[in-house]
Amino acid sequence: MATKRYVLTIFILLISIAGNAAAAESQQCASKSKGECHDKAQSLKLKLIAISSILVTSMIGICLPILSRKVSALQPDKDLFVVVKAFASGVILATGYMHVLPDSFDCLRSECLPESPWRKFPFTTFVAMLSALLAMMVDSFSMSYSRKSFLRRAAAREEDEESAKNSRCPDQLEHFGHGHGIKTEDGLNGKDSQLLKHRVVAQVLELGIVVHSVVIGLSMGASDNPCTMRPLIAAICFHQFFEGMGLGGCILQTEYGSKIKAVMVFFFSTTTPFGIALGIALSNVYSDHSPTALIVVGLLDAASAGLLNYMALVDLLAADFMGRKLQANVKLQTWSYIAVLLGIGGMSLMAKWA
């Protein structure tokens, strides 16, 4: 959780630097964002509506799967949960490919940036590729570190049990039983391995979503165009609701305590409203068409796209569809693919407005 706070702090500093630099840069590109529909007072009202509606929608979306423990049909081991999670995974995949990646291309290939190096080298795909590789490294190193920690704890428990056996009387040892010790060579094979994997996935996925959510909120908060803002609010609410369901499903499988779950829900629910509020505060000095802002936002979007695409394809979709449950049930596998396509289709349609 501390890592997320550090990333968010660094992000705010970068945006502040971009905002200060924008005030001193040419206004030629900044003027493109105003267009014909420009009403600062009306835009402020819509931004306040957006903050409240997006906050409520985000909380509902992420809390639904977490609170579904009370509904037997939505337990993680039930077929309905698998289908709903597949739909939400499709939403996350489409978010990376249809929303975040194109936004990064628009920023880093903008005419407001110098042709060299920004339009001569594909920085978007390069950063997204490195980001996806970084996500895999986090997965790999986290599993490796936790496996070693597990083996050390298991070895210590075996030593304690062996000492306890030796201190017992012979007749007590007969009733001690077998199979109580943990075989260290098994490592994290089984429930412990799966639980650890769910926790790594949930944390890395939320990090990618948080970065993108602040960027979206910042762009909306800095805009004074009510004509594009109305459909954008509805699209972002839809986006946050189903993206929250996907993240909430991952959090549910982590078996975290109430405190950690509450922190993860808080971060997801408040990042977009926070970005909007930050955009309102910086609206006098921040221009989303200034060269510095385009570079910062473009690189952050590219990094977020790499994280989301990797997590959706590898840790969510591939892990489920190649897993034992779906491989053993062709009917459930078919319905899950249909759910993925519906999630992708809905979010791809939303790309028209957001």
Side-chain angles (χ1 to χ4, degrees):
M1 309 315 293
T3 303
K4 295 176 187 174
R5 288 197 293 270
Y6 294 147
V7 171
L8 199 56
T9 302
I10 293 171
F11 176 78
I12 294 171
L13 289 174
L14 289 174
I15 292 300
S16 299
I17 294 170
N20 292 331
E25 289 169 341
S26 173
Q27 298 299 314
Q28 181 179 359
C29 290
S31 62
K32 295 179 182 179
S33 62
K34 294 185 177 180
E36 297 180 359
C37 190
H38 178 71
D39 189 335
K40 194 167 186 178
Q42 182 66 18
S43 296
L44 182 58
K45 293 179 182 178
L46 290 173
K47 291 172 191 176
L48 296 177
I49 293 173
I51 288 175
S52 57
S53 58
I54 292 172
L55 177 63
V56 172
T57 306
S58 300
M59 290 188 68
I60 293 173
I62 193 172
C63 287
L64 273 179
I66 297 175
L67 298 176
S68 67
R69 279 192 175 277
K70 299 178 181 178
V71 182
S72 59
L74 290 175
Q75 292 293 314
D77 59 336
K78 302 295 183 181
D79 291 351
L80 182 58
F81 178 85
V82 175
V83 174
V84 172
K85 186 182 175 186
F87 174 84
S89 299
V91 169
I92 293 172
L93 180 64
T95 297
Y97 277 110
M98 298 301 295
H99 293 254
V100 190
L101 209 57
D103 286 349
S104 179
F105 274 116
D106 290 342
C107 289
L108 297 182
R109 289 191 173 275
S110 171
E111 294 180 357
C112 299
L113 297 180
E115 183 176 355
S116 180
W118 299 105
R119 293 200 297 278
K120 287 190 174 182
F121 184 80
F123 281 98
T124 293
T125 48
F126 179 71
V127 173
M129 175 180 64
L130 293 181
S131 178
L133 181 61
L134 178 63
M136 187 178 70
M137 289 172 61
V138 171
D139 269 358
S140 175
F141 284 125
S142 296
M143 292 294 293
S144 178
Y145 174 80
S146 298
R147 179 188 175 89
K148 290 178 181 178
S149 298
F150 176 85
L151 292 175
R152 285 195 296 268
R153 292 195 301 270
R157 283 197 293 268
E158 282 191 341
E159 289 179 4
D160 292 340
E161 289 181 1
E162 196 65 34
S163 299
K165 284 182 181 180
N166 294 334
S167 65
R168 292 173 182 268
C169 297
D171 58 328
Q172 290 178 308
L173 288 174
E174 292 179 3
H175 302 286
F176 186 78
H178 300 281
H180 294 283
I182 299 174
K183 294 183 179 180
T184 58
E185 66 269 19
D186 291 340
L188 284 174
N189 296 331
K191 185 179 179 182
D192 291 321
S193 175
Q194 197 64 29
L195 181 61
L196 174 65
K197 185 68 175 176
H198 288 319
R199 291 181 175 181
V200 173
V201 168
Q203 292 184 17
V204 178
L205 179 61
E206 180 162 10
L207 180 62
I209 291 173
V210 162
V211 172
H212 176 54
S213 295
V214 176
V215 170
I216 289 178
L218 183 67
S219 299
M220 176 182 282
S223 174
D224 288 330
N225 190 333
C227 298
T228 58
M229 203 171 293
R230 293 187 184 94
L232 187 60
I233 293 173
I236 291 178
C237 285
F238 177 92
H239 176 283
Q240 291 293 107
F241 178 80
F242 288 107
E243 199 172 57
M245 286 187 65
L247 180 59
C250 293
I251 295 174
L252 175 63
Q253 294 177 304
T254 61
E255 298 182 12
Y256 276 134
S258 301
K259 187 176 180 180
I260 297 181
K261 286 181 181 177
V263 171
M264 298 185 77
V265 168
F266 172 80
F267 267 94
F268 172 79
S269 303
T270 57
T271 45
T272 303
F274 168 77
I276 296 174
L278 183 63
I280 294 173
L282 296 176
S283 59
N284 292 329
V285 295
Y286 176 83
S287 169
D288 55 0
H289 282 72
S290 69
T292 306
L294 287 169
I295 292 171
V296 172
V297 172
L299 292 177
L300 286 173
D301 269 342
S304 180
L307 283 175
L308 293 176
N309 293 341
Y310 172 84
M311 299 306 293
L313 283 172
V314 178
D315 284 333
L316 296 178
L317 291 173
D320 285 344
F321 281 96
M322 299 302 174
R324 190 176 304 171
K325 187 177 182 69
L326 286 179
Q327 287 294 310
N329 191 334
V330 177
K331 183 179 179 181
L332 179 59
Q333 191 175 157
T334 302
W335 279 111
S336 296
Y337 273 119
I338 293 172
V340 171
L341 292 174
L342 288 174
I344 290 174
M347 283 308 294
S348 298
L349 184 61
M350 288 296 106
K352 182 178 180 182
W353 297 284

